Amino acid sequence: MAATLCAKLLPKQGWLPLSVSVRHGSKAVTRHRRPQHILKKKLLAVTEYIPPTRDAPPGAYPHQIKRGQEECTGLMLLIKEDLKKVFQDYKMIAVVQNNNSNTDDMLTLRHRLHKHGISVKFFPNQVMHLFLSDSIYGSMAPLFIGPTVLFVSKTPKVREMLSTLRVSPQMTLLGACIDNTLLSVQGILHYSKLPSMTVVQGELVSGLTMLTSHTVSVLQHHPGHLSALLQQYVKQQSSETTSEAKTESAT
């Protein structure tokens, strides 16, 4: 009887229970990388080693002529010589941008500038860059972008140029070279407020005259004062001698 109960209660080999409790625990994922900080990414990108490119050995390729030298023609050299004479003969060279002005406006502007002795010159930007690259005026190269015009005069006439440009809104002043000095638009405005050379010369002459007259008066003051003191001393001595003579005669 006991054997029969044990056989019924004990599980048989190969027998599976109807319900099995399975424990689900948390899984530790250690294979995923943590995202890097944005600053660290930038630092790594900046400090990344970039190997230098291997240059071809000399003589491997045929000699290449520069583009500027290749396109330099006889006409461009002739215009370059004219431009060189302009920079040598004129003391004021202003760079003005032409903002789509028509022929009539340009003729009117040239006539107004001609009254003040200012000429208008047109040179291609390619020739300008070719000339400025080999001259002391290389700092003016960034001004020559797009359609540009040169206002030149043998003597600086900044006030007349600015007054003429006020009535021509299509012309924009970019800069100027006055007496071998590169000036911005603000510098040109400050230069126009300076007095003319004749006024400065007059003020200098008047100042020197006043200093000379003051020096002469200072130099003449001491001898005149000394002579006055000497005359007073002589009078005192003569008066003392006369008084002594009277006292002696009275005794």
Side-chain angles (χ1 to χ4, degrees):
M1 187 69 181
T4 304
L5 291 175
C6 291
K8 289 182 180 180
L9 294 176
L10 292 175
K12 299 179 181 179
Q13 294 182 357
W15 178 82
L16 295 176
L18 297 178
S19 62
V20 179
S21 61
V22 181
R23 182 180 180 183
H24 297 279
S26 61
K27 297 181 180 180
V29 181
T30 58
R31 295 182 181 181
H32 295 176
R33 295 183 179 180
R34 296 179 60 185
Q36 293 181 352
H37 196 269
I38 184 65
L39 295 178
K40 186 176 181 180
K41 288 183 179 179
K42 290 182 179 180
L43 183 61
L44 292 175
V46 171
T47 58
E48 184 181 1
Y49 174 73
I50 300 176
T53 57
R54 297 184 61 183
D55 298 333
Y61 295 98
H63 181 66
Q64 296 181 357
I65 303 175
K66 292 183 180 180
R67 183 179 179 182
Q69 297 177 357
E70 186 178 358
E71 297 180 357
C72 186
T73 60
L75 179 60
M76 293 177 63
L77 293 176
L78 183 61
I79 299 174
K80 182 181 176 181
E81 291 296 327
D82 295 340
L83 185 59
K84 185 178 180 181
K85 292 180 181 178
V86 168
F87 275 84
Q88 290 177 353
D89 298 339
Y90 295 94
K91 292 186 178 181
M92 186 188 77
I93 303 172
V95 184
V96 184
Q97 187 175 10
N98 184 7
N99 297 319
N100 196 15
S101 62
N102 52 27
T103 307
D104 296 335
D105 295 337
M106 185 58 65
L107 290 175
T108 305
L109 180 63
R110 295 184 69 172
H111 178 68
R112 290 174 178 172
L113 292 173
H114 185 70
K115 291 181 180 179
H116 304 292
I118 303 174
S119 304
V120 181
K121 302 287 184 180
F122 296 91
F123 293 98
N125 290 340
Q126 188 177 3
V127 180
M128 291 296 305
H129 287 286
L130 183 63
F131 167 74
L132 295 174
S133 61
D134 300 332
S135 65
I136 60 175
Y137 308 100
S139 300
M140 298 179 65
L143 300 178
F144 296 94
I145 299 176
T148 54
V149 185
L150 294 182
F151 291 171
V152 297
S153 62
K154 293 187 176 180
T155 57
K157 297 183 178 180
V158 181
R159 293 181 181 177
E160 294 81 357
M161 180 185 65
L162 293 177
S163 62
T164 306
L165 287 175
R166 287 192 187 98
V167 296
S168 300
Q170 67 274 13
M171 306 297 289
T172 305
L173 183 63
L174 301 179
C177 180
I178 302 174
D179 292 330
N180 294 330
T181 303
L182 183 62
L183 298 177
S184 62
V185 179
Q186 194 67 26
I188 295 171
L189 295 176
H190 291 326
Y191 187 90
S192 63
K193 297 177 182 179
L194 296 176
S196 61
M197 188 62 67
T198 55
V199 176
V200 174
Q201 290 176 355
E203 292 179 355
L204 179 61
V205 170
S206 62
L208 292 176
T209 305
M210 291 178 61
L211 290 175
T212 305
S213 61
H214 181 67
T215 304
V216 171
S217 63
V218 169
L219 292 175
Q220 290 178 354
H221 174 70
H222 296 288
H225 185 62
L226 179 61
S227 62
L229 292 175
L230 290 174
Q231 289 178 3
Q232 186 178 1
Y233 178 74
V234 170
K235 289 180 180 180
Q236 289 178 358
Q237 291 293 329
S238 60
S239 62
E240 288 178 359
T241 53
T242 54
S243 63
E244 289 177 358
K246 287 181 181 181
T247 53
E248 289 177 359
S249 61
T251 55

